[in-house]
Amino acid sequence: MDLSAHRLSVLLAVHRCGGVVAAADSLHVSPSAVSQQIRLLEKEAGTRVLDRTPTGAVLTQAGHVLADAAERIEGEITAARRELAGLDDDAPTGVVRVGSFATAVRALLLPLLLELGESRPGLELIIEEVEERTGLARLRRGELDLVLIERDSHTLPPPPRGMGDVPLLDESWLVVVPPGNLLPSTLAELVRATWIDTDPSTAGASALSRLSHQLGTPLTTRHVGYDYDVVLAMVDRSLGYALLPELAVYSGSVPEGVSVVRLPGLGTRQIVVRHRATRTEPGAATTAVLEALRTRCAALELG
């Protein structure tokens, strides 16, 4: 039996994202390309790995075995990257200032701060929660070295001259359901819901607008939040449903009674880190933090 590691990673994406369409969004390919890889994997394994249901794709027992193997492979690759980094006798040192929005501060940068304190004692990471426009202006002025940016479904335009973007993470959008409400099983059932909107400058507002276009009808919105923790509190008070990214849900505190639903077709939020790109930048310290961020994101267990 000759199994493709790439096809195993596709199966893992389907498992984590909850369906073929959502996995395609995450992998930046078409749903038909994902389906083709799954069919080839089933041919290699000699057994069915997915059961297609009206609400999405569900792993068979064999599929779970292969998805577990894919997670182990992913973990080994991440560990190898860390070991290679530890072999560097000329480890970079210096201060790296990172601007970010709240979700990424809590879920990515704070854990990274602890990791770097142990593995890269010569690096000093300074974290600042900033609004995106302010952060990018400070990046241009040299006051920040990195700025994390969020966008809905790869809508980020190319970086301006003198800047570079490094993709960090694609994470699924999830439906957050108030206590006592029936859980939706299809996108069509979301039409009847009242929604909590987010600030127009956020990826969440773009995602909700895109969902409205997918459903072919305006969605009813009432309250508006900027911080995702505030939105979760609003859902808890039954003020409406919310569309939130995975990190915001699982790095925050989901109130008891509030339900989280993953539906195929909701799309993904992309997190990108921007840096200055000149003859001398990013420097060694900034590059080391960039690589550590990528490793941290690769090791996240979402889905």
Side-chain angles (χ1 to χ4, degrees):
M1 183 185 298
D2 186 15
L3 296 174
S4 162
H6 169 66
R7 292 183 188 118
L8 288 174
S9 69
V10 173
L11 177 67
L12 183 59
V14 174
H15 178 48
R16 287 174 170 171
C17 296
V20 170
V21 174
D25 286 338
S26 172
L27 298 170
H28 325 313
V29 298
S30 67
S32 61
V34 172
S35 296
Q36 181 185 42
Q37 292 300 309
I38 294 299
R39 285 195 296 270
L40 290 171
L41 179 61
E42 289 179 328
K43 185 177 180 180
E44 290 172 350
T47 185
R48 194 175 70 256
V49 300
L50 285 181
D51 282 331
R52 279 78 172 179
T53 72
T55 58
V58 179
L59 265 63
T60 63
Q61 186 175 357
H64 278 290
V65 170
L66 294 178
D68 288 344
E71 286 189 324
R72 290 195 295 272
I73 292 170
E74 185 180 76
E76 289 293 332
I77 291 173
T78 300
R81 285 176 178 159
R82 287 176 177 167
E83 287 184 28
L84 287 173
L87 294 176
D88 185 6
D89 293 329
D90 300 318
T93 61
V95 177
V96 179
R97 297 180 179 271
V98 184
S100 177
F101 50 94
T103 308
V105 168
R106 186 167 50 239
L108 300 178
L109 295 179
L110 292 180
L112 183 67
L113 185 67
L114 296 176
E115 290 175 11
L116 290 178
E118 297 176 356
S119 63
R120 298 278 193 176
L123 282 178
E124 182 181 358
L125 185 64
I126 296 179
I127 302 168
E128 297 190 36
E129 184 184 356
V130 294
E131 187 270 332
E132 182 181 303
R133 183 178 298 178
T134 301
L136 293 177
R138 293 181 62 195
L139 179 67
R140 287 192 297 272
R141 295 196 298 266
E143 297 171 4
L144 294 172
D145 300 297
L146 299 171
V147 174
L148 273 68
I149 305 169
E150 61 158 6
R151 285 295 184 274
D152 172 51
S153 293
H154 299 265
T155 56
L156 184 67
R161 185 176 180 181
M163 297 287 168
D165 284 349
V166 177
L168 288 179
L169 183 68
D170 289 335
E171 51 173 332
S172 300
W173 290 103
L174 305 173
V175 179
V176 187
V177 182
N181 285 262
L182 293 176
L183 305 186
S185 58
T186 65
L187 292 184
E189 295 174 41
L190 301 177
V191 172
R192 299 188 295 271
T194 296
W195 292 86
I196 298 167
D197 205 352
T198 52
D199 185 276
S201 66
T202 64
S206 298
L208 196 60
S209 175
R210 177 174 51 78
L211 177 61
S212 175
H213 286 298
Q214 280 181 259
L215 296 174
T217 184
L219 296 177
T220 301
T221 60
R222 193 160 294 169
H223 301 278
V224 180
Y226 180 82
D227 186 278
Y228 288 140
D229 286 341
V230 172
V231 175
L232 280 171
M234 289 179 171
V235 176
D236 185 37
R237 294 299 183 94
S238 296
L239 299 183
Y241 287 58
L243 192 62
L244 297 183
E246 220 165 343
L247 282 186
V249 173
Y250 293 118
S251 68
S253 179
V254 179
E256 185 176 353
V258 170
S259 300
V260 180
V261 179
R262 181 188 302 272
L263 293 176
L266 284 177
T268 58
R269 176 176 79 161
Q270 183 186 36
I271 298 179
V272 169
V273 60
R274 180 165 292 178
H275 61 85
R276 290 184 297 279
T278 67
R279 274 185 164 186
T280 58
E281 296 180 287
T286 302
T287 300
V289 172
L290 273 171
E291 183 57 34
L293 259 175
R294 294 178 66 182
T295 301
R296 170 71 188 167
C297 291
L300 285 176
E301 295 184 0
L302 299 178

